[in-house]
Structures are given as C-alpha cells and as structure tokens.
Amino acid sequence: MYADAETIRRILTRSGDTWAVVGLSNNESRAAHGVARVLQAYGKRIVPVHPKAETVHGEQGYASLADVPFDVDVVDVFVNSELAGEVADEAVAKGAKAVWFQLGVIDEAAYDRTRAAGVDMVMDRCPAIEFPTLR
C-alpha cells in the first residue's frame, strides 16, 4: 500500500548510494545492524545516525541527520512510528531524495507530507528483503 514496485526499484537502484540509517548503533541484536550490513553488501555507503554517534560497520556515526556534514541520498528509518514523522521531515529538509520507513514503522501523515514535498517514500518495507527481489 505504501510502496509500489517502481518506487522501490527507483530508490534501491537510482536514488543514490549514501544511505543514512537512523537508529543504527553497535547493538548487534537490532535489525538496523543487520540491514546496514546488507546495504553495504549492495554497494551502499551507510551513515549511522543515533544519539550515541557510534562508528558502525566502519562508518562514522552522527547524533542526528542535521549533524551529517554531507548530503545523503536516502534516509532509512528504524525508529518508533511516533518519532518517524519528525525524521521524515528532517530528511526532506536535508534534501534527501528518498525516505524509507522500515517494517512496522508507519506514519501516514509523514508519508503524505514527504510525497507532497516531491520526495520518494516507502513505508513498512525492508530494503534487505527488497534488494534480492530485483531482477
């Protein structure tokens, strides 16, 4: 419902290779940790965004999207749905080409705002699941 095949394909293959992963820390039991590794395997540069600003998978972390001192192409969101809308708004303000809300992360108003701003968005999906389905 919140992700058509063409939008998924466009984000994964044509939106750019720098992915900010919001909620990514060194906690290996969290989904973000494994998904970030998959993104790297598909040639994406990950940018960890977490209040701890930890280096993860060899990449310098930042406490917030605003702290990232370079452009990001896609913002992959692993925070609770209640916080996700604010992250989507920050992604639009930063000039991201796309926003990706992970499985279980749903904010319909944020989806509408992001799309209205002309930014591609996928919600309630996982790129680690979608990448292998590309042909």
Side-chain angles (χ1 to χ4, degrees), residues 22-88:
V22 179
L24 175 59
S25 71
N26 277 313
N27 183 343
E28 294 180 15
S29 69
R30 303 295 300 212
H33 198 271
V35 171
R37 179 64 78 199
V38 171
L39 289 171
Q40 286 181 317
Y42 279 94
K44 305 303 181 185
R45 175 185 182 196
I46 58 131
V47 181
V49 177
H50 188 280
K52 293 180 182 178
E54 298 173 318
T55 296
V56 183
H57 299 315
E59 294 287 347
Q60 169 64 47
Y62 298 91
S64 70
L65 272 176
D67 290 341
V68 178
F70 48 83
D71 293 339
V72 296
D73 300 311
V74 180
V75 176
D76 191 5
V77 182
F78 279 92
V79 300
N80 293 332
S81 296
E82 296 78 32
L83 304 173
E86 182 178 334
V87 176

Side-chain angles (χ1 to χ4, degrees), residues 91-120:
V92 170
K94 184 146 183 72
K97 297 177 188 125
V99 175
W100 192 297
F101 279 11
Q102 283 293 324
L103 293 171
V105 180
I106 299 171
D107 182 329
E108 293 177 7
Y111 181 87
D112 292 342
R113 286 193 311 273
T114 302
R115 296 297 301 234
V119 175
D120 277 339

